[in-house]
Amino acid sequence: MYKLTGERQLRMQREDDQVFLDALYASRRQDLQQLPMDAVVVAQMIKMQQHLQMVGMRQHYPEAQHYIVELAGKSVGRVIIDAGANDLHLVDIAIAPEVQRNGIARSVLLAMQEQALEKNLGISLAVELRNPGARALYLQMGFLVQSSDGLFEQMRWPGGVGIGAATGRQMEQPDVAA
């Protein structure tokens, strides 16, 4: 299990998390919320996009574990991790806007790095190029760019490089993103 510090914790996603997940997804879709359309239509579009995203994730990562990030018992994010034979793959991480840049995403990444070290695995992920804050956090955490397609960069943390006993000191630093 992934162990976070302080009042942060990960727990398995449950059916009763859907209202939170809907609000979290909508908070990430400012692009759609700014459309000059009726609010009901925009809400339907957001819900449809959310559904399509989840169908795609479940199709491509059927064994992935879906977690809710909690801070002091309150849901503040979602993490989807697919544990493969050679890598832990961070499928998605989303932190509520009101608590971003408070070290939550960093603590999730550190917990993943600790788990990867224990299992002698690396960590892979994809980051949107239009998300420079998240990209900067991943680079700070030791992830290396493997490839880019103009929209996303594929990144990998090889495991065991630059992490170790010092991870606890890094835990409380604020995130530059996510």
Side-chain angles (χ1 to χ4, degrees), residues 9-169:
Q9 69 176 19
L10 284 182
R11 65 165 173 79
M12 296 301 294
Q13 182 178 310
R14 304 181 303 240
E15 284 186 36
D16 64 344
D17 291 316
Q18 196 58 53
V19 171
F20 166 73
L21 292 168
D22 292 348
L24 180 64
Y25 184 83
S27 75
R28 297 173 71 189
R29 295 308 306 259
Q30 293 299 318
D31 58 330
L32 294 178
Q33 291 179 12
Q34 295 175 5
L35 291 174
M37 302 170 75
D38 182 78
V40 173
V41 173
V42 171
Q44 290 172 340
M45 288 176 60
I46 290 171
K47 190 68 176 165
M48 181 184 68
Q49 290 292 315
Q50 178 186 12
H51 174 74
L52 291 172
Q53 180 191 51
M54 287 313 304
V55 167
M57 284 184 192
R58 291 190 191 280
Q59 185 176 27
H60 287 92
Y61 305 101
E63 302 299 319
Q65 299 292 308
H66 297 246
Y67 298 97
I68 296 295
V69 182
E70 291 184 334
L71 179 61
K74 180 181 184 238
S75 298
V76 296
R78 173 194 68 179
V79 179
I80 301 173
I81 302 170
D82 187 45
N86 299 314
D87 274 345
L88 296 176
H89 182 70
L90 179 60
V91 177
D92 193 36
I93 183 168
I95 306 298
E98 64 271 14
V99 295
Q100 288 179 359
R101 293 175 176 71
N102 286 307
I104 296 168
R106 179 181 300 277
S107 67
V108 170
L109 291 169
L110 284 167
M112 286 183 70
Q113 287 174 327
E114 288 177 17
Q115 184 78 2
L117 285 173
E118 287 177 18
K119 297 185 180 233
N120 199 28
L121 301 172
I123 302 172
S124 60
L125 58 84
V127 61
E128 288 183 87
L129 291 175
R130 67 180 180 146
N131 192 346
R135 183 180 184 278
L137 174 62
Y138 299 140
L139 290 171
Q140 285 177 5
M141 300 294 297
F143 285 81
L144 305 171
V145 176
Q146 302 294 298
S147 65
S148 178
D149 64 8
L151 294 175
F152 290 89
E153 282 183 336
Q154 301 300 317
M155 301 181 92
R156 185 167 191 279
W157 181 76
V161 178
I163 304 296
T167 58
R169 287 193 302 273

